[in-house]
Amino acid sequence: MRRSAAPSQLQGNPFKKPKFIPPARSNPSPNEEITKLNPDIKLFEVATNKNTFLQSQNDPGKCSLNLLPTEEGAREINHRDCFEASSMATLDPHHPVHSAPKEITVSKGQEEEPASLVKYFSVVWCKASKKKHKKWEGDAILIVKGKSFTLKNLDGKDIGRGIGYKFKELEKIEEGQTMMIGGKEIEVMGVISPDDFSSGRCFQLGGKSPAISSFSQTIKKCFSNPLKSVCKPSSKENRQNSFQNCKPRHDPYAPNSLVMLRPDDNHQWMFNKNCFAIVDVVIDPHLVRHLRPHQKEGIIFLYECVMGMRVNGRCGAILADEMGLGKTLQCISLIWTLQCQGPYGGKPVIKKTLIVTPGSLVNNWRKEFQKWLGSERIKIFTVDQDHKIEEFTKSSFYSVLIISYEMLLRSLDQIKNIKFDLLICDEGHRLKNSAIKTTTALISLSCEKRIILTGTPIQNDLQEFFALIDFVNPGILGSLSSYRKIYEEPIIISRQPSASEEEKELGERRAAELTCLTGLFILRRTQEVVNKYLPPKIENVVFCRPGTLQIALYRKLLNSQAVRFCLQGLLENSPHLICIGALKKLCNHPCLLFSSIKEKECSSTWDKNEERSLYEGLINVFPADYNPLMFTEEESGKLQVLSKLLSVIHELRPTEKVVLVSNYTQTLNILQEVCKRHGYAYTRLDGQTPISQRQQIVDGFNSKYSSDFIFLLSSKAGGVGLNLIGGSHLILYDIDWNPATDIQAMSRVWRDGQKHPVHIYRLLTTGTIEEKIYQRQISKQGLSGAVVDLTKTSEHIQFSVEELKNLFTLHESSRCVTHDLLDCECTGEKDHTGDSLEKFSVSRNCQLGPHQQKSDSLKPLSMSQLKQWKHFSGDHLNLTDPFLERIRENVSFFFQNITNQTTAM
Ligand SMILES: Nc1ncnc2c1ncn2[C@@H]1O[C@H](COP(=O)(O)OP(=O)(O)OP(=O)(O)O)[C@@H](O)[C@H]1O
Ligand SMILES: [Mg+2]
């Protein structure tokens, strides 16, 4: 029988051989190695490994698949392999004797079945036939449980099942045996440990996953070529020789120098065919002196990823640090290093880099390059209306091209003709959908060193997770269909309440394995790493009393036919969204509602429109001579609070500035009008602001010479990635269903470079839909699923009639419905902080499970956390905060939390 057809037969089935778990990185870190040479020198501060991925890579038991064996490791395997293989052949009395296949007979039920015994085998299979020369059709996993068996292919799909087999025969299955089972002929290649099955590793080792296949190839290479061609420059003697030949660009022995890991023997074997001397790659000290410890760690990580030192033959990375941690600086340091240096003979690793970023950040990237490297060291080309890509193509002067995603699509053909060695996708979360044009365009670029930068957690949705992983390291998780079978399905099943213990265990193991596999090239640090460099942050949730006109209109809206029909489930076409929209407008200001009604009345579809049943009679609630242009602050509770807040900030902190955020252009118009009325200088950035002007507006505001007091920002239009550190007060005027939008906006000011304590005010109208949206943000319902995602809007939210009833209720007598829901015993008369957190379970928003749980400041606040905040009613007598003191008259309740508290406020 020919056996060469099955993939495992082509590469050697690891399960047939004694299993080898390659030692994880045994390569000494340059730190260790160089410190050994001179123990007095502390070269760089590698941060203590707080990251699970860093821990896992040091623990071969945790993740054993991804790294190349070192020379010693390889030798050890070779030796052990030969020894064990030969001992098996000669000494093992159970060593299989090949015999003709026999069909296992179906039992008649007379044998006892021990239910708990499950065995796993790696097998090759083919359809049953009488032909002499058979060809194995594929690898498979045979799972035998009592009298039944399942045969799964390496994509995790069931390809055979049987029940009622003679237990004794199934029990006797052993390596080398061939047999007929469920109409298929199989040969048992080896036994799989339950651990390898539950982790999913056996599917990869079968030979399908490219990551692993290249791994096994490497092992084979190591066996057949015991590193003959590898130069040995990492020995002390050789290193000294190589230094004579080729010196590192910066002194690796200088104090505080940041030195990259030297390539190990396998890396050299693969990438240093010419046997160049090994040269230390040292980060430019000019940059190092600015770097925070987490940034140094990040640069080491990025370097190792793109050099293919972490995962064999894979050069992708995802840097998912929370917002504001300086992902830009880490990338700039990497580009500058790779462009000037390399470990082999000092030869630069890259020539050209492509940075793709949202349009509003193109100039920010240019500025950051200039800020950290000046304008002489590196030549940057940014594509815009005046600077066409042809200029970059024609000139060899520039090494970095910065382009927006939109422009990339337009100039894809030209870009494809340029050889880029490094691709960086900023705010790369948008590539989570592999079907969209941007993703397919970027995938089509041949560059294999790919980095995704994102501030958003990426494990919330397992399919999106796959898309991002597959973009940076194509094929590493196999095909989408096998990924689904092996990881996604078991993980999702295990999270369902009905999951059996077995399913739960399997799901957890698969999740752990997936984390381990991908954790080698994903790095995420939370805001906490920079908190200590930042000034205090005082966050306030302010519940504003609605104005009289607002209450009257709110009641009328809730009594409208449209709302009643919604609650009876009688209307089609999601009219609840129109009702919600009207209530939200009313909360911002009644004049917005007035304008909407007038506009709709004039439209030709008014008669057929559902809005008619919502707005009917509403206009009569407004004063007869109501003019929306002459709106007053008293008509809106929030606007009154805002106006007082601006005035007290202006008075008490005349040199500080305010970022004022709304999600609606019309609301921004009102806020702009308020600025004008009070004579506050302002600047504005919304969806209509041309991309070319955005950075200029941001720079103007951040400049200490600017006279602007207020930055009006539409968070959805331009919030992502902006640095607005010129402002130290941020007011969120309205609330979005998606907590991510609000969190994004809030992160604009409390970030590196901020000099003043930061005050954040979230304004909510008491008892209204705004409180309900807030509650949804912080409740389990809001937290579950992938909420921290800017693409999720209210249209994606499904409401039950019960939920709609709750949404469409006005709580007129409560000072704070949210506080009522917290089950807190205080009456709001005094400062109060709630019970300990343990009483409440904090929701998980990561599909990969609890081992992924880290404190994540991007996670929306939970109810239990909110209860921990200081809270008090507006009537509370001794308010120590002078800003809150000024607005208390219009406020029914406050929640306040201070991070990094010092004495100064
Ligand atoms: N080591 C540092 N020292 C001082 N300022 C720094 C340092 N690192 C970064 N910054 C500044 O911090 C700000 C935030 O950095 P950056 O824009 O790179 O954050 P980010 O991680 O990309 O965040 P986002 O996810 O919001 O885009 C920038 O103004 C940057 O210049
Ligand atoms: Mg950024």
Side-chain angles (χ1 to χ4, degrees), residues 290-292 295 321-330 361 364 368 371-372 426-427 453-456 719-723 725 744 747-748 751-753:
H290 298 290
L291 296 172
R292 308 276 188 219
Q295 293 173 329
D321 285 347
E322 271 190 10
M323 293 173 244
L325 295 202
K327 293 186 280 293
T328 323
L329 172 57
Q330 294 174 62
L361 298 178
N364 183 61
E368 288 275 315
K371 176 169 173 181
W372 302 113
D426 192 16
E427 301 297 341
L453 302 180
T454 173
T456 308
V720 184
L722 289 184
N723 291 309
I725 47 173
Q744 266 282 350
S747 322
R748 299 305 108 207
R751 48 172 53 208
D752 225 324

Side-chain angles (χ1 to χ4, degrees), residues 264-283:
D264 66 9
D265 290 337
N266 282 290
H267 194 275
Q268 294 173 42
W269 191 82
M270 284 197 286
F271 300 106
N272 192 18
K273 303 272 185 225
N274 296 332
C275 286
F276 285 126
I278 303 299
V279 177
D280 272 324
V281 172
V282 186
I283 308 294

Side-chain angles (χ1 to χ4, degrees), residues 354 408 412 415-416 423 440-447 450:
L354 174 64
L408 173 99
L412 189 60
I415 291 197
K416 272 187 175 169
L423 167 64
T440 45
L442 284 162
I443 288 174
S444 72
L445 301 181
S446 57
C447 176
R450 299 177 176 186

Side-chain angles (χ1 to χ4, degrees), residues 79-270:
H79 174 73
R80 196 158 32 122
D81 197 39
C82 297
F83 173 74
E84 289 184 14
S86 63
S87 66
M88 255 173 44
T90 53
L91 302 175
D92 187 352
H94 303 294
H95 186 62
V97 179
H98 294 274
S99 55
K102 51 180 180 179
E103 173 77 67
I104 292 185
T105 41
V106 176
S107 110
K108 298 196 178 63
Q110 69 273 42
E111 284 165 295
E112 283 293 298
E113 171 194 345
S116 60
L117 199 69
V118 187
K119 287 180 175 178
Y120 308 92
F121 303 92
S122 68
V123 301
V124 285
W125 68 273
C126 65
K127 279 188 215 88
S129 92
K130 296 208 167 108
K131 278 189 198 160
K132 247 186 173 179
H133 295 292
K134 286 172 199 158
K135 202 171 162 188
W136 294 123
E137 287 176 47
D139 292 280
I141 311 292
L142 175 69
I143 304 154
V144 176
K145 187 175 182 183
K147 291 180 188 173
S148 62
F149 76 87
T150 312
L151 201 58
K152 285 181 182 289
N153 69 12
L154 294 187
D155 286 344
K157 220 164 117 189
D158 291 358
I159 52 168
R161 260 174 199 279
I163 196 158
Y165 281 77
K166 276 193 182 170
F167 167 68
K168 274 199 179 132
E169 292 183 17
L170 284 176
E171 196 198 27
K172 275 194 300 197
I173 295 176
E174 56 191 20
E175 203 178 302
Q177 190 175 334
T178 48
M179 56 196 168
M180 301 290 284
I181 199 163
K184 291 194 170 63
E185 188 170 338
I186 61 169
E187 180 176 334
V188 180
M189 306 308 294
V191 178
I192 296 172
S193 71
D195 188 51
D196 277 332
F197 178 79
S198 58
S199 68
R201 234 174 277 160
C202 60
F203 292 96
Q204 301 154 344
L205 284 172
K208 263 286 172 72
S209 162
I212 309 313
S213 59
S214 56
F215 160 76
S216 50
Q217 275 163 12
T218 314
I219 293 180
K220 278 209 304 198
K221 279 180 192 167
C222 292
F223 291 159
S224 53
N225 298 289
L227 305 163
K228 264 190 253 158
S229 65
V230 173
C231 328
K232 298 204 178 280
S234 53
S235 74
K236 199 173 171 182
E237 189 188 325
N238 272 345
R239 196 168 46 244
Q240 276 159 2
N241 287 341
S242 48
F243 279 5
Q244 280 161 14
N245 301 336
C246 197
K247 275 170 60 185
R249 189 177 164 102
H250 307 285
D251 181 4
Y253 298 97
N256 298 321
S257 63
L258 181 57
V259 188
M260 298 295 102
L261 182 74
R262 290 205 183 118
D264 66 9
D265 290 337
N266 282 290
H267 194 275
Q268 294 173 42
W269 191 82
M270 284 197 286

Side-chain angles (χ1 to χ4, degrees), residues 23-25 46 49 51-58 63 65-69 261 264 267 271 297-318 473 476 516-523:
R25 293 177 41 185
V46 177
N49 291 341
N51 303 294
T52 43
F53 88 89
L54 284 176
Q55 280 159 7
S56 68
Q57 73 176 1
N58 290 325
C63 188
L65 300 173
N66 305 283
L67 296 164
L68 293 168
L261 182 74
D264 66 9
H267 194 275
F271 300 106
E297 193 190 330
I299 294 165
I300 295 171
F301 160 81
L302 288 174
Y303 175 83
E304 291 177 11
C305 286
V306 300
M307 293 297 291
M309 290 171 162
R310 281 179 168 254
V311 187
N312 178 21
R314 306 285 168 172
C315 303
I318 298 180
N473 282 327
I476 194 157
C516 181
L517 198 69
T518 54
L520 289 163
F521 54 91
I522 300 176
L523 179 57

